[in-house]
Amino acid sequence: MALLNILRYPDPRLHKIAAPVTEFGTDRLRKLVADMAETMYDAPGVGLAATQVDVHERVVTIDVSEAQDKLIVFINPEITWASDEKQVYDEGCLSVPGVYDGVERPAQVKVRAFDVDGKEFNIDADGLLAVCIQHEMDHLMGKVFVEYLSPLKRNRIKAKLQKEERGMARDAAQRSARR
Ligand code: K1U
Ligand code: ZN
């Protein structure tokens, strides 16, 4: 298994639309899922979309359990029903480190998806699982949660992360010059 690099907002690759998985049960798909799960637990996070690791296929890993021992892998997920009831949750994102803000979404959703072997399953989600699956499915459509925020907040977040990125690039250049 391997830790994958998580793209950081405003990387333009976060806005690519993921394609459906067409081949199930392959070693390649199993390795992608295993690497994504390892990357998500290591971060640590409760979800990860393949888009965030620069793989533009409809694959999501989620584990919202306290003990982080209930991994759910969603391949080609589709929301088949969403409640009229809404909930606002302070969302975070591994691609937007250090930023949490309220996003309103349907409180309950029904999701149809496939596992790595291509077996279809259906899940009724509420609470954090409902928030997380909708957040991850947005990633697959190239949408990052900051796009729900006001342009003012979004631009501030973008400027802060770009500044951090420049600092990290400078540190890396200094480290390699010392070697
Ligand atoms: O998509 C992602 O970047 C993962 C994201 C999922 C998410 C969390 C909360 C609301 C909506 C979507 C995260 O996992 S952010 C990190 C986080 O919430 C967390 C980290 C450690 C323990 C518990 C939560
Ligand atoms: Zn995210």
Side-chain angles (χ1 to χ4, degrees), residues 19-41:
V21 169
T22 53
E23 283 188 76
F24 291 88
T26 61
D27 288 348
R28 180 189 165 273
L29 185 59
R30 284 182 205 287
K31 177 164 168 43
L32 172 63
V33 164
D35 290 348
M36 283 177 60
E38 188 182 3
T39 303
M40 175 185 78
Y41 288 125

Side-chain angles (χ1 to χ4, degrees), residues 120-138:
E120 185 182 315
F121 64 94
N122 288 272
I123 278 188
D124 289 359
D126 61 8
L128 179 57
L129 179 58
V131 173
C132 200
I133 185 66
Q134 292 175 80
H135 175 113
E136 303 310 334
M137 287 179 67
D138 274 351

Side-chain angles (χ1 to χ4, degrees), residues 6 40 43-49 52 61 63 68 89-96 99-100 105 128 131-133 135-136 139 145:
I6 299 177
M40 175 185 78
V46 292
L48 191 69
Q52 294 176 275
T61 56
D63 189 343
Q68 296 251 279
Y89 194 95
D90 244 1
E91 298 194 11
C93 181
L94 299 175
S95 296
V96 193
V99 175
Y100 287 83
R105 299 182 187 272
L128 179 57
V131 173
C132 200
I133 185 66
H135 175 113
E136 303 310 334
H139 275 305
F145 89 102

